[in-house]
Structures are given as C-alpha cells and as structure tokens.
Amino acid sequence: ADAAGGGASAKLVSQLKATCADLHLVCEAGWLAKVEQLHAIVGLHHGAMLVGPAGCGKTTAWRCLLSALASLDGVAAESHVIDAKAVGKGGLIGTLDPTTREWHDGALTATIRRVNESAHGEGGRRHWIVLDGDVDPTWVEALNSVLDDNKMLTLPSGERLPLPPNLRILFEVDSLAHATPATVSRCGMVCFGPPTAAAAA
C-alpha cells in the first residue's frame, strides 16, 4: 500500500511540475510541498482552508492541483470562485421572499444544486467551490451543516441539499481572525507562509 501511495505521489509531483512549466511558473520546493498537503487534505475532507497573506501562492496552488489531477485521471475539473463578502449571505446561500415564501438560490446553493441534478454531466466532473476572502461569521455559520459529517446544506426554506461526493468547498483566507472554532474544526487546514524574496522578484 505504501509503495502504491508513493507511486501515486510521484506521478502527482511530476504532473504538477509539468503543469507549472506549461504555465511558466517556478515550482519552488516549499510551495510544492503545500500543494501536496492540499491534495491530501481534499482527499480526507470535503472542506479545506488555505490560509496565508496575499501573494503566497494560495490561488496558484489550488489551480495547479486541479489541473494536474485532471491530467492524471482524465476527470474534467471545474472551479467556481465566489467572493462571499461581495455577494453577502443572501447572495451566497439564498433568500426567502417574506411575502410569497418563494425561495431564490444564492451562488453557492445554485452550484450545489446544479452538480446534484447533473443535467449536463456535472456529476462526472470534479468541482471545487472556492470562497475567496475573509471568513465572516454572518454567512459561514450557515455552512457548518454542510462541512460536518452530515454533508447536508440546510436552507432557511427548510430544504436540505446533500453535498455531492465530487464537490469540495475551499476557503481562501488571509487569516483565521474572524473564523469561529466551529468552522475551523470542520475543515482541513493548509497554512502558507509569506511570499519569499525569490517569488516576489
């Protein structure tokens, strides 16, 4: 089993280096180790946090990993980047009209529903939802039910949406200053250091 895992890891590292070369990126050893950590985390958790200051390689890490995995196993990959702070809780989760009691999906809810329904083959692809920006308790608390072992998004309308097995939720944040222990404990964590002088140059 160890040999098989080592072989898989070696193939991934080789593909990551090839992906970086295609994108004209320098595949620095410390950053590559973080990408490998992220790969391990998304294999174990359906929620992951990438923590570190701007410019440390968080976005490049998940984009390169997603591309490398698609090249390795042939499973098409899609990323859905959402700035939760810009859209607010209603734009992220959805809103319930107080008059008509009609429910309107938010960006996150609509994506999960679309992958679940798989009307256009979404069920056969790898999907990563990336919530870019500060983790705000006003909306992140609503995700606790989908991040725990239930993998079920409970909406204010009373509907419960299951998280598809081919979907992961990633948080890309500068720090955990505004994250609650309930959210942090439900996610895998990859901490990136500050950008190096070589990377900045």
Side-chain angles (χ1 to χ4, degrees):
D2 291 342
S9 178
K11 287 182 179 179
L12 176 63
V13 170
S14 177
Q15 185 58 55
L16 283 169
K17 290 179 178 178
T19 300
C20 286
D22 290 343
L23 297 172
H24 307 290
L25 298 171
V26 176
C27 193
E28 190 265 332
W31 175 84
L32 182 60
K34 293 298 179 182
V35 182
E36 289 185 87
Q37 287 177 24
L38 178 59
H39 177 243
I41 289 294
V42 296
L44 295 171
H45 300 268
H46 49 283
M49 285 191 171
L50 285 70
V51 186
C56 67
K58 301 188 301 294
T59 302
T60 306
W62 69 257
R63 286 189 185 277
C64 285
L65 177 58
L66 198 58
S67 177
L69 290 174
S71 297
L72 277 179
D73 59 19
V75 177
E78 288 186 26
S79 60
H80 313 270
V81 182
I82 305 170
D83 185 341
K85 204 162 189 177
V87 300
K89 182 178 179 180
L92 183 69
I93 306 297
T95 54
L96 185 65
D97 190 301
T99 306
T100 64
R101 308 302 294 173
E102 184 179 359
W103 173 257
H104 301 279
D105 280 340
L108 176 76
T109 313
T111 302
I112 294 175
R113 192 186 302 279
R114 189 167 66 250
V115 176
N116 267 322
E117 292 173 351
S118 192
H120 301 287
E122 288 88 351
R125 304 176 201 141
R126 181 182 284 112
H127 294 266
W128 286 5
I129 296 176
V130 182
L131 300 172
D132 193 356
D134 294 336
V135 173
D136 193 328
T138 58
W139 57 261
V140 79
E141 290 296 321
L143 301 185
N144 284 345
S145 65
V146 80
L147 292 172
D148 63 22
D149 291 339
N150 294 322
K151 300 182 182 181
M152 195 75 65
L153 180 62
T154 304
L155 304 177
S157 63
E159 184 182 4
R160 288 162 61 85
L161 277 180
L163 188 72
N166 59 326
L167 189 148
R168 298 290 183 270
I169 298 177
L170 276 62
F171 299 85
E172 205 178 320
V173 300
D174 288 345
S175 75
L176 299 175
H178 305 292
T180 64
T183 302
V184 172
S185 65
R186 286 170 165 82
C187 294
M189 203 74 55
V190 182
C191 295
F192 288 75
T196 63

